[in-house]
Amino acid sequence: MAEHRFQLEKGGVKHACPACRQIRFVRYVDSFTGEQVADEVGRCDREDSCGYHFTPKEYFYLTGKNPFDVPKPAIKPQPKPEPVEPSFIDTKVVQASLTRYNQNNFCRWLCSVFGKDRAFELTAAYKIGTSKYWQGSCVFWQIDRDGKARAGKVMLYDDSGSRVKKPFAHVQWVHEVMQIQSYHLQQCLFGEHLLSTDSDKPVAVVESEKTAIVASGFIPGIVWVATGGKKSKLKEKLQAVAGRKVKLYPDLMAFDDWRKVAAGLPGVTVSDILERRATESDRAAGLDLADYLLRENRQTA
């Protein structure tokens, strides 16, 4: 099979995953014809919680089809595509979600950790919303430096502050819940809007929204932002912090990947504190910075 002939579809188009049914599945396309190989041939980007990946090589082996039956078309010069502008969620929708915190499991848990006053300060700073999609669920809004909401991630936590992952991972996008057609999802850092108001503070980048909020509660002298995923276009999102003093705090098992991305980026360093302190059980559990901060706080309380 020719190298690079079959590639994951570009453009942010995603489909329902054959395994987990979440709209996180990217299909393989034939670069010669531009056509998809088959509906089930592709990769789910929920690598940790799903991991479905059916390659073209496996497909052609199992079906006995010959990928070389289609001749390579003549290469024609293609016009450079115009950059697609990101879509935004209406400000009124964001504002309407900033209430009913007594019905928000995550915000109630924040109160149990930091006390009501500090928890509400964190909730207001990060503009955490409440959703009716799942009872008790919250919304983590991705608001860029211009104050525009590029995305809203609906997530369900239990009363202990842990994500609800059974019988499936409770994660969904607001624009999909609202069934907004032709929505161009172009994510930004969670907490990116804080970079404008706290322009003099150093910046710390973590993976999960929860970790950014918890770390901000315990270490307020830093602007804590989150990528929203282990491999969620990290280098692209770090453009928002260019020119700032930035330290990355990767989760366990993500240290090498983040270090490669940070290499050569001016002002960006990578913390190895979790790599140095983690036990084997910590690694097996996939702990992050928030877990350590919460553990230490309980020990000293």
Side-chain angles (χ1 to χ4, degrees), residues 42 49 68 138 168 215 248 268 278 293:
S49 54
F68 298 103
C138 66
F168 60 91
L248 310 185
V268 179
L293 291 173

Side-chain angles (χ1 to χ4, degrees), residues 207-218:
E207 179 182 333
S208 81
E209 296 88 352
K210 172 186 172 180
T211 301
I213 296 164
V214 169
S216 182
F218 287 122

Side-chain angles (χ1 to χ4, degrees), residues 244-275:
R244 302 280 289 264
K245 182 179 180 181
V246 181
K247 179 165 285 191
L248 310 185
Y249 289 85
D251 291 358
L252 293 174
M253 310 304 292
F255 179 76
D256 290 337
D257 289 336
W258 282 33
R259 183 171 58 178
K260 290 176 183 177
V261 171
L265 294 179
V268 179
T269 58
V270 183
S271 171
D272 64 351
I273 185 171
L274 297 189
E275 293 295 315

Side-chain angles (χ1 to χ4, degrees), residues 33-253:
T33 65
E35 297 180 353
Q36 297 174 351
V37 178
D39 289 350
E40 69 275 18
V41 179
R43 183 179 69 187
C44 181
D45 66 9
R46 300 171 67 241
E47 298 179 11
D48 295 333
S49 54
C50 178
Y52 179 92
H53 190 192
F54 188 24
T55 67
K57 182 177 181 180
E58 294 169 331
Y59 170 77
F60 290 119
Y61 175 78
L62 292 174
T63 61
K65 296 181 179 180
N66 186 352
F68 298 103
D69 286 343
V70 180
K72 184 176 181 180
I75 299 176
K76 297 180 180 180
Q78 297 294 323
K80 187 176 181 180
E82 293 292 328
V84 180
E85 293 297 320
S87 298
F88 302 103
I89 301 293
D90 193 308
T91 302
K92 294 180 180 178
V93 174
V94 178
Q95 287 298 123
S97 74
L98 306 181
T99 184
R100 295 180 287 108
Y101 292 120
N102 61 320
Q103 302 173 30
N104 186 319
N105 293 351
F106 182 80
C107 291
R108 291 206 309 266
W109 173 77
L110 277 182
C111 289
S112 71
V113 175
F114 295 104
K116 185 176 180 179
D117 290 344
R118 181 57 177 148
F120 280 172
E121 288 176 0
L122 294 169
T123 299
Y126 283 95
K127 297 186 183 296
I128 304 171
T130 302
S131 172
K132 296 180 181 179
Y133 190 65
W134 294 298
Q135 184 176 355
S137 58
C138 66
V139 185
F140 293 135
W141 295 106
Q142 293 184 9
I143 302 174
D144 63 23
R145 299 187 69 158
D146 295 325
K148 296 181 179 181
R150 296 194 179 192
K153 188 188 294 185
V154 181
M155 301 184 72
L156 181 61
Y157 287 79
D158 60 24
D159 291 334
S160 69
S162 298
R163 281 181 53 193
V164 177
K165 298 182 180 181
K166 295 182 179 181
F168 60 91
H170 288 62
V171 182
Q172 186 58 285
W173 294 107
V174 168
H175 65 274
E176 293 179 352
V177 173
M178 298 178 65
Q179 299 182 343
I180 301 176
Q181 301 300 314
S182 303
Y183 194 92
H184 180 60
L185 177 61
Q186 187 172 323
Q187 298 185 57
C188 65
L189 291 165
F190 171 73
E192 184 174 307
H193 61 285
L194 299 175
L195 296 172
S196 299
T197 56
D198 295 320
S199 57
D200 296 329
K201 291 182 179 179
V203 179
V205 182
V206 295
E207 179 182 333
S208 81
E209 296 88 352
K210 172 186 172 180
T211 301
I213 296 164
V214 169
S216 182
F218 287 122
I219 312 172
I222 298 173
V223 180
W224 293 89
V225 295
T227 63
K230 185 184 301 182
K231 297 181 179 179
S232 186
K233 297 184 178 180
L234 176 60
K235 191 169 186 177
E236 179 180 312
K237 290 181 179 180
L238 287 178
Q239 294 176 5
V241 295
R244 302 280 289 264
K245 182 179 180 181
V246 181
K247 179 165 285 191
L248 310 185
Y249 289 85
D251 291 358
L252 293 174
M253 310 304 292

